[in-house]
Amino acid sequence: MTQRFSGPAPSVAAVHDLSGVGRCALTVVIPVLAAMGLQPCPLPTAVLSSHTGGYTGMAVKDLTDFMPGYIAHWKSLDLKFDALYTGYLACEAQSDLVLDLFAWQKRQGKPFIVVDPVMGDEGELYSTMTMAMAREMRRLCAMADVITPNLTEAHLLLGEDYRSAPRSPAQVRDMLSALLDLGPENALITSMPVENGLANVCMRRGDAGYYQCAYPMLPVQYPGTGDLFASVLTGAMVRGEDLQSAMDRASRAVYRAVKDTYALGTEIRAGVQLELSLNAIWDDLEEDRVKFIVV
């Protein structure tokens, strides 16, 4: 199915890092949002010659000192973004800059805010992260319409031990409810272990239950799939889809990209073959449909 849009493209200020090699962060965010008919306006938090998921010896430039002038120029242009979408922050000090960006744009209108609190995975912090970042990410989450932590990041936000991962629907519900207590209107957790695979789960403020998209576990993990998921979710919701439908679409997009990339046998650290998947983001093929249930 080819998705057609009318009117000007909604604009999204995308606050993420830029890696020259390895599909993640802005090299995923920009093409995905553009393919979904949105205008990505990047605000880079750091520049890396490659991502850190399998590469070593990379050159890294923290852009904290550059960001204030970048944002000041945006303010001088009196810009008004339709959405703000944040990911990796290079240091704790960048959270104040992002909060200022949020506050400025809230004075301009009612931007849709997505916070992907990038901090770690598989129970571990990323090598460039500290525990103090969880405190700063909580501040951002309080201002968000949607937050999209993975299971590790959800535990970090809540100050919980990763080994106490939820094992029952009631525990999942409690965890989502606790994330909502941080302040966002919608909470979503990716890569939640369930019977026979994984699931993405979400809850809206005021809901009694949560929604779950389950999918089979494939025998490979690629870097950047969290960025792909959050970008498709952001694009779909800015385009008017509700939380459940957007989560369903993003879950399908990631599953299909991983499945197709695995079949090609390409280098894992290079990420999914995003270029082959962009045209299918708006497709609704039953063969790729994940299990979508209310719990």
Side-chain angles (χ1 to χ4, degrees):
M1 176 178 82
T2 300
Q3 186 79 7
R4 298 185 180 277
F5 305 110
S6 59
S11 58
V12 181
V15 186
H16 295 257
D17 61 299
L18 174 65
S19 292
V21 173
R23 299 172 182 86
C24 69
L26 284 174
T27 58
V28 169
V29 173
I30 291 173
V32 168
L33 293 181
M36 299 185 78
L38 284 74
Q39 178 197 4
C41 301
L43 169 53
T45 59
V47 177
L48 301 87
S49 55
S50 72
H51 66 62
T52 59
Y55 297 102
T56 58
M58 65 286 297
V60 180
K61 179 66 173 178
D62 181 325
L63 297 182
T64 304
D65 292 340
F66 179 64
M67 290 172 66
Y70 199 109
I71 296 170
H73 183 236
W74 277 5
K75 289 181 177 179
S76 74
L77 298 175
D78 199 30
L79 297 177
K80 181 178 179 180
F81 297 105
D82 295 289
L84 307 170
Y85 165 31
T86 72
Y88 174 86
L89 301 185
C91 66
E92 292 89 350
Q94 291 186 354
S95 63
D96 284 333
L97 299 173
V98 175
L99 287 169
D100 177 68
L101 177 67
F102 286 178
W104 165 52
Q105 281 299 294
K106 282 179 175 287
R107 293 193 295 271
Q108 298 290 90
K110 294 183 178 180
F112 184 74
I113 298 178
V114 179
V115 172
D116 184 11
V118 177
M119 291 183 285
D121 202 0
E122 298 295 320
E124 300 289 340
L125 284 167
Y126 293 135
S127 60
T128 56
M129 285 288 146
T130 67
M131 290 300 295
M133 184 59 79
R135 179 185 64 246
E136 300 305 318
M137 285 296 184
R138 288 186 203 109
R139 298 171 66 204
L140 269 60
C141 289
M143 303 287 288
D145 291 289
V146 183
I147 62 173
T148 61
N150 60 32
L151 186 57
T152 297
E153 291 156 351
H155 281 285
L156 289 168
L157 288 172
L158 298 176
E160 296 177 351
D161 190 332
Y162 179 77
R163 290 170 295 183
S164 63
R167 302 294 181 186
S168 69
Q171 290 174 320
V172 173
R173 201 159 40 238
D174 288 346
M175 190 172 203
L176 287 165
S177 180
L179 289 172
L180 289 172
D181 287 342
L182 297 178
E185 292 301 311
N186 305 274
L188 188 156
I189 304 173
T190 61
S191 303
M192 179 76 71
V194 295
E195 186 176 359
N196 299 321
L198 296 171
N200 300 318
V201 296
C202 68
M203 179 186 285
R204 300 171 300 191
R205 183 173 299 281
D207 283 352
Y210 66 91
Y211 299 83
Q212 173 175 301
C213 289
Y215 51 93
M217 185 182 296
L218 295 168
V220 65
Q221 288 184 306
Y222 294 100
T225 51
D227 298 320
L228 174 57
F229 177 90
S231 298
V232 175
L233 180 93
T234 299
M237 294 192 75
V238 172
R239 278 294 178 189
E241 291 192 1
D242 62 21
L243 178 65
Q244 303 97 292
S245 297
M247 183 175 72
D248 186 18
R249 183 176 302 283
S251 300
R252 290 200 311 273
V254 172
Y255 180 74
R256 184 181 342 202
V258 171
K259 182 179 67 172
D260 291 350
T261 302
Y262 181 63
L264 293 172
T266 54
E267 186 179 20
I268 290 176
R269 64 183 181 176
V272 294
Q273 296 287 303
L274 178 66
E275 300 79 9
L276 306 180
S277 305
L278 289 176
N279 289 336
I281 287 174
W282 287 113
D283 288 351
D284 292 309
L285 301 179
E286 282 302 318
E287 66 189 49
D288 286 322
R289 197 162 185 83
V290 292
K291 186 179 181 184
F292 185 44
I293 61 172
V294 181
V295 180

